[in-house]
Amino acid sequence: MRITLRVWRQLGPTDPGRLETRDVPDVSPDMSFLEMLDVVNEGLIAAGETPIAFDHDCREGICGACSMMINGVPHGPNRATTTCQLHMRTFRDGDTIVVEPWRAKAFPVVRDLVVDRSALDRIISAGGFIGVSTGSAADANATPIPKTVADRAMDSAQCIGCGACVAACPNASAMLFTAAKVVHLGLLPQGQPERYRRVLSMVRQMDLEEFGGCTNFGECQDACPKEINVAVIGRMNADFLKASLSNRDEAA
Amino acid sequence: MHWARAFAESTIGKKIFMAASGVILVGFVLVHMTGNLLMFQGPAAINHYSAFLKSSAPLLWAVRITLLVSVAVHIGSAWSLTLVARAARPARYARHHAQVSTWGARSMRTGGVLLFGFIVFHLLHLTTGNVHPEFSPSDVYGNVVVGLRMPVVAAFYVVAMIALGLHLAHGVSSLFQTLGLNHPHWNPIRHRLAIVLAVLVFTGFSTIPLAVAFGVLR
Amino acid sequence: MNLRSKVPAGPLEKKWDQHRFDLKLVNPANKRKYTVIVVGSGLAGASAAATLGELGYNVKCFCFQDSPRRAHSIAAQGGINAAKNYQNDGDSIFRLFYDTVKGGDFRAREANVYRLAQVSVDIIDQCVAQGVPFAREYGGLLANRSFGGAQVSRTFYARGQTGQQLLLGAYSALERQIARGTVQMFPRTEMLDVVLVDGRARGIVTRDLVTGAVQSTAADAVILATGGYGNIFYLSTNARGCNVTATWRAYRRGAAFANPCFTQIHPTCIPVSGDYQSKLTLMSESLRNDGRVWVPKARGDKRGPAELAEADRDYFLERKYPSFGNLAPRDIASRSAKEVCDEGRGVGETGLGVYLDFSDAISRLGEETVRDRYGNLFEMYQRITGDDPYRVPMRIYPAVHYTMGGLWVDYNLMSTIPGLHVLGEANFSDHGANRLGASALMQGLADGYFIIPYTIGDYLASTKPAKVDETHPAFREVESEVKGRVTRLLSIQGHRSVDSFHRELGRLMWDHCGMSRTAAGLKRALARIPELRAEFWRDVRVLGGEEEFNQSLEKAGRVADFMEFAELMCLDALHRAESCGGHFREEYQTPDGEAKRNDDEFAYVAAWEYTGDGNAPRLHKEPLDFEAVHLTQRSYK
């Protein structure tokens, strides 16, 4: 099949960048989207042009590196699929495909389709952990956890930190990312001692990184390759309210 | 930083303020709408009701101040969150396809601005009478019938109520989420409640300008 | 070169306890005076960096990914073993130890494996305390599943994403230390060389992948946790970024490389579909519990699976291994699939694939039950191939998955370069010639959480390294070598892309040093590799600049190192004239085609020493003595 690619090229954070049009004549429907870009890049190299930069690593949908807005949708049109697992058979012969980087102030463009997502790491660093130093743990079965609770914690813990939620949100909000971690740890008995302290500092960091606020559009949930539900945001809101009222010293 | 200030300055805090003030305003809208329907019982009923509301000045002002503060908080939070959101995405997408967000959700900001304009007009029109052709402080019934006889004004009232309906359709369901009252089991009910409320409020309010326009109320 | 393993004396089960007592300690107030570099942020690197930070060391952690959370440990699916015996099914530390040594075909060091089994129980405790949401039973206690090579249920898991959850646990511990200032994180920074001062590892030279700046970092000790080298085959289940550069550069500075030919092939991967293929995706081995593996009986039979009658099908695993059938171990299942494809009976367009058929399971158990068990996997398969496995048999083929070889380390996880420690898949230690399922995660975390924090203290306390900083001439020298290499890669401006060279190298290695090997093939590869390497340095085309974000340049450096490493791998495979675990030499098999070990001549670790470019590496042998287990021939008939 043949497609027309309109792809964002930008040398660095200060370059204004532009969409470049490329004709890609030799696409196999069995290629993944990234393999299609590999082929385009091989062609560029042969022609002496610099290849398109894009983040990718595991290519099996779990590392969270790939990050592309494909025809205006993060990771492309398929549900619960990362860009690396999106295959060209999803598109039709003759399609024009627009590819852009995630866009958010907190995700400055490094080059072409590569953005800097270290803001997400800093949110985790602010409190997305259980403060247990190595060696001090009790026996793993000392605290039983109901299966349903463990399963719900796992639902949130599946986040791959790709940033699709931010990319999809009209407000460029990182609430789904932040809430997924707050809820994962907040559901487990091990996470209780730091529960309110955690939500306060993670939300503060999230705001400091200049992500937008949540206005309940729901786009993040739809874009999330791991189908994390916006219910986690509601739970985080409640925890935040409770934390602000009950842990005033920490909140200050 | 004082905890309350930290709370108010956080994006979640602002949303919670918006939701809380929204609850008050929704309550007001429902009471207001119920009162309006007295129009259909004739001039005496509505004028009597109006006089009753104004019978205690301290109470009246307490309610008015609460409402003013709520509106201010509601708009202030929205304004501030809008600025944050704008700043959070300085470069726009060449192509962006919203997948699931509803009309209601996407029209919150423009709808909100329209509603604010409507409220100002409505107060000048039927509370203070500044923009009313024949305003009489004691004859609410007459004010309404005369005031809505102009088709443009009636149409504006109906349009504003459409905006209010949309605003509530997203806002009411959204405020539960913002206040953390979100449970997969209750979510369908929450969304339905918002729709029912939105339709109810739109119908309840719109019947009056329509009734005036079609000569049911005269 | 001295291969002193430093395994402590005394009975097996007392060695680690005694050793921990004998190890010197660093006074808490002095720990922050020591700087430790950790390269890599996977399970081993992140757990080591976090734990050393907690202890108070000044840690600097480097990874080439944009975030430490993306290291390839994240992709491990199945689970993590631990000798908890929660199922009361007869497990014990000794049994886990025994299974691991036997599974590794008796090519691992007993004392290390025993210690691994001992600390396995602490890992689970630690991870649960960190909030890792392991699967649980309704009673609230942890669930276990069984895994290949074991007769007990000792594998802990978090759906099909155990590696992800364990890594995120270690990553959160790491982020906590970053916030406390004990760990400084350098993402998108690739280590390109080790720096030695007075014979000790005292730092590294890195390239900032965003700005292209080549910089030095000095430290009192260096830890490499940089994973395996499976990507030498170009196509593997590894992430695209996985590479041999860190360990290869260390080897060139004097660290011995042990058993480089021990690679593991996983039998159930999605087959290659075209030349553009960049990655092979693993399908969980659990599929073999209900799927039946078959190919057409006749060569070149191109009819679709539905048109082939029962009589035209060869269920070759069931035929050859009647008692284990489709559940034969990884290496055996992989080799059998290769055999039938080599005979021209493979399926699919490329002829490199065999069917994994669920139609019997669906008619026996019903589609619902099958969906319950394998729903996610079927979905993933359909997403990638476009075929619906409920209607059409899956096609699978073996793929390179893990490398047991790595830098040689002693009992303290220190390489032959003093001060250079190696953890996780990057070292050679615990899996011998074949790794059992769910043991890689266990080893990475054991090394990082529970071993290196003790042993590195001993190194620092007993050597008391002198102050060295980045102004030392040794750093200047290595920096200029690194810069020289980078400039050279960019200046060639030849005709072929980096990927085309990598693909050719991979093909060569897969053909001659892959699932089965012969002396003749290895010799052919050994003749071809230097030619290919010369071509690479003559004709590679790397575009873009030096001081900018340049992914082609990153790849070029990694492929250049694979080109050198390939030779060592083939050399090791050629010298090991026996078949064991993942290393199958066609000349050494039993009459019915099974791997034939030669314990008299090859019960040793082959550790190779670099002797300069153009010179043959020198082989050193660390003999393996088995006191606790008896050497036996594996049989799965």
Side-chain angles (χ1 to χ4, degrees):
Chain A
M1 52 197 268
R2 183 185 204 109
I3 56 152
T4 305
L5 200 61
R6 298 192 63 214
V7 60
W8 187 259
R9 301 304 300 267
Q10 182 175 345
L11 285 173
T14 51
D15 179 37
R18 71 231 153 263
L19 279 175
E20 226 172 65
T21 307
R22 301 250 151 222
D23 177 46
V24 194
D26 44 2
V27 177
S28 152
D30 290 327
M31 283 176 177
S32 73
F33 199 83
L34 297 184
E35 284 166 351
M36 183 272 293
L37 286 179
D38 288 343
V39 169
V40 171
N41 276 345
E42 287 292 291
L44 287 172
I45 294 170
E49 294 178 67
T50 28
I52 303 160
F54 60 92
D55 262 326
H56 64 101
D57 202 24
C58 78
R59 298 204 176 193
E60 53 182 292
I62 193 77
C63 77
C66 55
S67 45
M68 287 174 204
M69 202 73 174
I70 300 170
N71 281 343
V73 184
H75 294 301
N78 291 358
R79 278 193 78 80
T81 304
T82 52
T83 302
C84 62
Q85 295 212 310
L86 176 69
H87 281 68
M88 295 310 291
R89 68 180 78 90
T90 310
F91 301 93
R92 273 176 316 213
D93 190 28
D95 274 0
T96 295
I97 305 175
V98 181
V99 189
E100 294 177 82
W102 288 171
R103 296 203 186 276
K105 184 166 189 210
F107 291 168
V109 172
V110 174
R111 192 185 179 110
D112 298 343
L113 303 171
V114 176
V115 297
D116 178 354
R117 285 169 286 186
S118 53
L120 300 182
D121 289 322
R122 289 189 291 274
I123 293 175
I124 299 296
S125 201
F129 48 75
I130 291 175
V132 48
S133 293
T134 307
S136 50
D139 184 86
N141 261 348
T143 312
I145 302 175
K147 185 177 186 318
T148 46
V149 173
D151 285 348
R152 278 171 59 208
M154 180 65 196
D155 289 340
S156 311
Q158 291 191 82
C159 169
I160 58 174
C162 64
C165 46
V166 178
C169 176
N171 303 329
S173 170
M175 286 282 277
L176 192 69
F177 171 82
T178 310
K181 189 48 68 183
V182 164
V183 169
H184 156 214
L185 299 175
L187 278 168
L188 297 170
Q190 289 84 357
Q192 295 311 308
E194 291 162 295
R195 178 170 171 186
Y196 295 108
R197 183 192 160 85
R198 175 183 307 120
V199 69
L200 289 170
S201 45
M202 287 181 75
V203 169
R204 181 176 306 154
Q205 189 64 36
M206 177 184 84
D207 286 346
L208 280 175
E209 299 290 349
E210 303 187 79
F211 289 105
C214 174
T215 50
N216 303 324
F217 282 107
E219 294 289 346
C220 53
Q221 173 181 307
D222 191 71
C224 177
K226 296 294 153 186
E227 303 190 289
I228 293 171
N229 193 285
V230 287
V232 295
I233 297 179
R235 198 177 147 96
M236 174 164 82
N237 290 336
D239 271 13
F240 183 78
L241 179 58
K242 194 162 171 204
S244 296
L245 297 174
S246 62
N247 290 33
R248 295 183 193 171
D249 294 340
E250 306 258 9
Chain B
M1 208 192 293
H2 191 265
W3 69 271
R5 196 173 147 202
F7 178 76
E9 287 187 359
S10 70
T11 49
I12 297 183
K14 283 174 190 153
K15 277 293 290 180
I16 289 176
F17 276 124
M18 178 132 58
S21 55
V23 171
I24 295 172
L25 294 172
V26 168
F28 165 75
V29 160
L30 288 175
V31 172
H32 187 355
M33 182 193 77
T34 319
N36 283 7
L37 294 177
L38 289 173
M39 285 289 289
F40 291 102
Q41 292 199 5
I46 186 89
N47 287 350
H48 185 76
Y49 174 64
S50 157
F52 163 74
L53 289 182
K54 290 182 191 155
S55 58
S56 158
L59 200 65
L60 178 67
W61 278 103
V63 171
R64 282 178 170 171
I65 288 168
T66 308
L67 289 174
L68 275 175
V69 169
S70 298
V71 168
V73 166
H74 203 72
I75 292 176
S77 316
W79 180 260
S80 161
L81 280 169
T82 305
L83 291 184
V84 171
R86 290 266 155 85
R89 173 154 302 133
R92 313 204 72 78
Y93 289 108
R95 188 184 283 190
H96 186 204
H97 269 279
Q99 299 293 297
V100 290
S101 47
T102 56
W103 235 79
R106 274 177 280 152
S107 67
M108 287 307 268
R109 281 170 196 151
T110 35
V113 171
L114 179 78
L115 283 174
F116 180 69
F118 169 74
I119 291 167
V120 172
F121 173 78
H122 178 55
L123 290 175
L124 294 174
H125 190 220
L126 289 177
T127 305
T128 61
N130 302 43
V131 296
H132 195 281
E134 306 164 24
F135 189 72
S136 149
S138 58
D139 183 14
V140 174
Y141 187 88
N143 289 343
V144 169
V145 172
V146 173
L148 293 176
R149 224 171 251 156
M150 276 168 77
V152 185
V153 174
F156 181 47
Y157 269 82
V158 174
V159 168
M161 288 311 106
I162 294 175
L164 181 60
L166 281 173
H167 208 76
L168 292 182
H170 176 72
V172 169
S173 125
S174 178
L175 71 84
F176 284 96
Q177 163 83 348
T178 301
L179 296 174
L181 305 170
N182 178 329
H183 190 280
H185 189 67
W186 298 110
N187 283 348
I189 298 179
R190 175 185 116 197
H191 297 314
R192 235 171 285 147
L193 174 74
I195 300 292
V196 167
L197 216 65
V199 171
L200 188 73
V201 166
F202 166 72
T203 323
F205 276 119
S206 301
T207 42
I208 293 169
L210 290 173
V212 172
F214 290 103
V216 178
L217 292 175
R218 62 181 89 202
Chain C
M1 183 171 277
N2 179 3
L3 293 187
R4 263 192 51 219
S5 67
K6 298 196 191 136
V7 170
L12 192 58
E13 61 281 7
K14 293 273 162 49
K15 282 182 197 287
W16 178 232
D17 287 346
Q18 184 60 42
H19 191 62
R20 278 199 295 180
F21 181 73
D22 294 338
L23 289 170
K24 290 205 178 105
L25 300 173
V26 178
N27 174 312
N30 284 339
K31 286 197 179 107
R32 68 173 131 52
K33 294 180 189 157
Y34 288 117
T35 300
V36 179
I37 286 172
V38 179
V39 187
S41 63
L43 285 178
S47 59
T51 307
L52 293 172
E54 285 160 12
L55 288 172
Y57 292 105
N58 178 20
V59 180
K60 295 184 173 171
C61 184
F62 297 78
C63 70
F64 70 77
Q65 296 90 345
D66 70 322
S67 161
R69 68 180 292 152
R70 305 206 202 284
H72 194 55
S73 306
I74 199 111
Q77 299 173 359
I80 176 166
N81 286 331
K84 280 286 196 186
N85 193 28
Y86 281 158
Q87 306 307 323
N88 196 30
D89 57 358
D91 199 8
S92 63
I93 287 169
F94 193 87
R95 189 177 295 281
L96 174 56
F97 152 76
Y98 180 83
D99 288 347
T100 308
V101 171
K102 180 185 171 206
D105 224 356
F106 308 96
R107 291 294 175 263
R109 200 188 278 150
E110 269 191 346
N112 283 54
V113 179
Y114 194 85
R115 174 178 63 185
L116 175 66
Q118 280 178 301
V119 301
S120 68
V121 296
D122 301 328
I123 296 172
I124 302 304
D125 297 344
Q126 178 64 26
C127 293
V128 166
Q130 281 172 345
V132 171
F134 283 122
R136 288 179 182 267
E137 306 289 356
Y138 281 101
L141 302 181
L142 290 159
N144 288 120
R145 58 163 68 136
S146 57
F147 234 80
Q151 289 168 303
V152 293
S153 287
R154 61 158 79 98
T155 304
F156 296 79
Y157 61 99
R159 297 197 187 142
Q161 290 133 278
T162 318
Q164 181 200 25
Q165 293 310 312
L166 295 175
L167 181 63
L168 293 183
Y171 158 77
S172 66
L174 175 64
E175 288 294 340
R176 173 171 167 247
Q177 293 309 311
I178 292 171
R180 292 170 76 184
T182 59
V183 178
Q184 207 184 339
M185 188 70 218
F186 298 85
R188 287 205 204 269
T189 308
E190 182 166 30
M191 171 192 147
L192 293 178
D193 219 329
V194 192
V195 180
L196 274 62
V197 175
D198 300 328
R200 296 181 180 281
R202 293 310 302 268
I204 58 172
V205 171
T206 56
R207 182 168 175 273
D208 180 321
L209 299 183
V210 177
T211 65
V214 172
Q215 279 158 337
S216 292
T217 308
D220 298 294
V222 177
I223 295 173
L224 299 186
T226 53
Y229 47 84
N231 268 351
I232 193 169
F233 294 95
Y234 187 73
L235 288 179
S236 79
T237 65
N238 282 187
R240 294 279 284 166
C242 295
N243 66 83
V244 77
T245 292
T247 46
W248 184 250
R249 293 285 130 192
Y251 163 80
R252 291 177 56 103
R253 299 274 168 204
F257 212 112
N259 299 334
C261 78
F262 288 168
T263 49
Q264 184 172 69
I265 314 279
H266 199 288
T268 49
C269 298
I270 299 178
V272 176
S273 61
D275 295 336
Y276 48 79
Q277 187 103 14
S278 62
K279 152 91 190 181
L280 296 172
T281 305
L282 187 88
M283 303 288 296
S284 169
E285 225 171 342
S286 61
L287 289 170
R288 288 198 283 143
N289 282 313
D290 286 308
R292 297 180 71 193
V293 178
W294 64 273
V295 288
K297 273 188 180 157
R299 294 177 51 165
D301 193 335
K302 286 289 160 205
R303 287 178 292 169
E307 295 146 43
L308 282 157
E310 211 47 35
D312 299 332
R313 301 176 174 193
D314 176 15
Y315 294 89
F316 56 92
L317 286 177
E318 295 170 24
R319 171 172 59 80
K320 287 162 71 178
Y321 308 99
S323 63
F324 271 70
N326 295 301
L327 285 173
R330 285 180 180 179
D331 50 343
I332 291 173
S334 299
R335 256 194 325 272
S336 306
K338 181 184 187 311
E339 274 166 30
V340 294
C341 293
D342 287 350
E343 288 164 23
R345 301 196 283 141
V347 299
E349 247 171 73
T350 57
L352 292 175
V354 299
Y355 290 124
L356 180 63
D357 196 338
F358 288 87
S359 51
D360 280 2
I362 290 171
S363 52
R364 188 180 69 234
L365 305 162
E367 192 168 317
E368 267 325 291
T369 312
V370 172
R371 194 181 298 276
D372 255 15
R373 287 187 193 170
Y374 309 110
N376 314 356
L377 294 165
F378 278 31
E379 265 172 45
M380 177 165 90
Y381 181 85
Q382 187 164 10
R383 201 151 50 223
I384 293 171
T385 63
D387 287 344
D388 176 5
Y390 294 102
R391 313 272 160 267
V392 191
M394 281 186 182
R395 279 178 292 119
I396 54 163
Y397 198 65
V400 177
H401 174 54
Y402 185 87
T403 54
M404 282 73 69
L407 291 181
W408 183 90
V409 289
D410 64 16
Y411 192 69
N412 293 329
L413 303 182
M414 190 160 82
S415 71
T416 53
I417 298 176
L420 182 74
H421 299 75
V422 191
L423 319 182
E425 191 180 351
N427 74 26
F428 87 106
S429 66
D430 300 342
H431 307 296
N434 176 51
R435 179 179 64 76
L436 289 184
S439 282
L441 304 184
M442 168 172 72
Q443 186 222 338
L445 290 179
D447 288 0
Y449 282 134
F450 295 109
I451 299 171
I452 196 70
Y454 293 95
T455 60
I456 208 159
D458 180 67
Y459 170 76
L460 294 168
S462 52
T463 55
K464 300 205 169 53
K467 270 268 152 278
V468 168
D469 64 20
E470 291 85 355
T471 57
H472 192 281
F475 284 95
R476 293 284 86 82
E477 203 176 303
V478 176
E479 268 177 40
S480 78
E481 281 176 42
V482 166
K483 281 182 191 155
R485 250 168 88 79
V486 170
T487 315
R488 200 176 146 209
L489 284 168
L490 285 165
S491 66
I492 300 166
Q493 294 293 330
H495 298 90
R496 287 181 60 184
S497 71
V498 176
D499 275 357
S500 80
F501 278 108
H502 193 177
R503 211 175 272 129
E504 186 174 346
L505 175 72
R507 186 69 213 227
L508 185 72
M509 294 303 284
W510 179 249
D511 287 346
H512 300 300
C513 198
M515 245 186 294
S516 68
R517 302 150 177 190
T518 63
L522 288 164
K523 281 178 188 154
R524 262 202 300 284
L526 281 167
R528 176 65 188 135
I529 294 164
E531 291 169 15
L532 187 62
R533 191 164 59 225
E535 263 172 70
F536 175 86
W537 283 103
R538 201 172 51 239
D539 201 26
V540 75
R541 172 179 284 190
V542 186
L543 300 170
E546 196 168 326
E547 296 198 338
E548 61 181 40
F549 187 82
N550 188 340
Q551 291 175 314
S552 306
L553 181 61
E554 294 166 26
K555 277 198 279 191
R558 294 169 193 160
V559 172
D561 286 333
F562 276 134
M563 291 269 182
E564 296 179 11
F565 174 69
E567 215 171 330
L568 184 70
M569 209 169 137
C570 291
L571 213 57
D572 184 48
L574 182 63
H575 114 280
R576 190 168 281 277
E578 65 162 348
S579 294
C580 60
H583 172 63
F584 186 79
R585 282 283 298 272
E586 290 177 19
E587 304 94 320
Y588 308 100
Q589 47 181 311
T590 60
D592 43 7
E594 301 306 330
K596 198 164 140 200
R597 259 191 356 253
N598 180 346
D599 293 327
D600 295 337
E601 287 180 69
F602 290 100
Y604 62 77
V605 177
W608 299 88
E609 181 187 3
Y610 177 71
T611 58
D613 278 340
N615 298 338
R618 190 174 298 129
L619 173 64
H620 300 266
K621 299 175 182 176
E622 182 202 336
L624 292 170
D625 301 314
F626 294 92
E627 292 163 9
V629 298
H630 293 289
L631 282 78
T632 54
Q633 197 74 37
R634 298 191 306 167
S635 170
Y636 296 93
K637 287 271 168 192

